[in-house]
């Protein structure tokens, strides 16, 4: 179970899953905007045109219905605000995850050994040294 969790963590942290889920969320949010646009502009427009064609008795009535409008713009604005909030929250999450990932990289870099101990004089020397600078012994 622990191994499974570690594998899942690795998969999730690689960014593939993060990218994928962000795509899904943004796609859904954007779909809402498209739906909102249709609901708020296109559907009322078609209704208005049909109404104008078949029911408007005169042009005055037609203009007044256009000015007052059946367009629920507030609904569209709230949909766009929803989208923006979703995008901002996602951005913050991605930033946090990226920060965690770079922190993780730094940790592994620091954990990698850069020095070794000379077997003859026990002083710390560079990991790729072939000769100890302290006692001049040959080190492998
Ligand atoms: Zn030495």
């Amino acid at each position: 179970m622990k191994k499974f969790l570690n594998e899942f963590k690795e998969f999730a942290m690689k960014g593939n899953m993060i990218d994928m889920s962000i795509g899904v969320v943004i796609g859904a949010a954007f779909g809402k905007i498209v739906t909102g646009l249709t609901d708020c502009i296109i559907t009322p427009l078609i209704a208005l045109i049909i109404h104008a064609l078949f029911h408007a008795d005169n042009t005055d009535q037609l203009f007044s219905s256009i000015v007052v409008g059946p367009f629920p713009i507030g609904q569209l604005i709230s949909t766009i605000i929803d989208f923006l909030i979703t995008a901002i929250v996602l951005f913050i999450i991605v930033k946090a995850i990226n920060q965690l990932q770079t922190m993780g990289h730094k940790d592994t870099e620091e954990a990698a050994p850069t020095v070794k101990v000379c077997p003859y004089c026990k002083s710390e020397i560079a990991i790729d040294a072939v000769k100890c600078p302290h006692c001049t012994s040959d080190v492998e």
Side-chain angles (χ1 to χ4, degrees):
M1 191 61 191
K2 209 182 163 194
K3 197 183 163 217
F4 173 80
L5 280 176
N6 280 339
E7 273 176 18
F8 177 78
K9 199 177 139 198
E10 209 175 284
F11 169 70
M13 289 307 259
K14 262 182 189 165
N16 298 342
M17 204 183 78
I18 296 159
D19 288 350
M20 212 163 69
S21 44
I22 284 165
V24 169
V25 172
I26 288 281
F30 194 73
K32 260 196 204 168
I33 286 195
V34 173
T35 309
L37 213 61
T38 313
D39 284 352
C40 301
I41 309 269
I42 294 166
T43 309
L45 198 66
I46 290 167
L48 193 71
I49 289 165
I50 289 168
H51 179 81
L53 285 176
F54 296 104
H55 300 288
D57 296 328
N58 53 52
T59 45
D60 280 351
Q61 203 184 329
L62 176 64
F63 275 119
S64 68
S65 64
I66 286 171
V67 169
V68 176
F71 306 109
I73 293 299
Q75 199 184 309
L76 182 64
I77 288 169
S78 82
T79 309
I80 290 167
I81 289 170
D82 270 5
F83 175 77
L84 289 177
I85 289 170
T86 310
I88 288 167
V89 168
L90 279 177
F91 175 71
I92 290 166
I93 290 170
V94 169
K95 243 182 104 131
I97 288 167
N98 281 343
Q99 221 154 26
L100 278 175
Q101 274 179 324
T102 50
M103 268 164 66
H105 278 302
K106 266 185 200 160
D107 281 353
T108 51
E109 268 170 30
E110 276 166 17
T114 55
V115 290
K116 63 183 174 186
V117 173
C118 170
Y120 303 104
C121 66
K122 302 291 174 198
S123 46
E124 276 191 348
I125 55 172
I127 190 90
D128 51 353
V130 289
K131 213 173 206 15
C132 175
H134 303 285
C135 65
T136 65
S137 308
D138 287 324
V139 223
E140 87 250 12

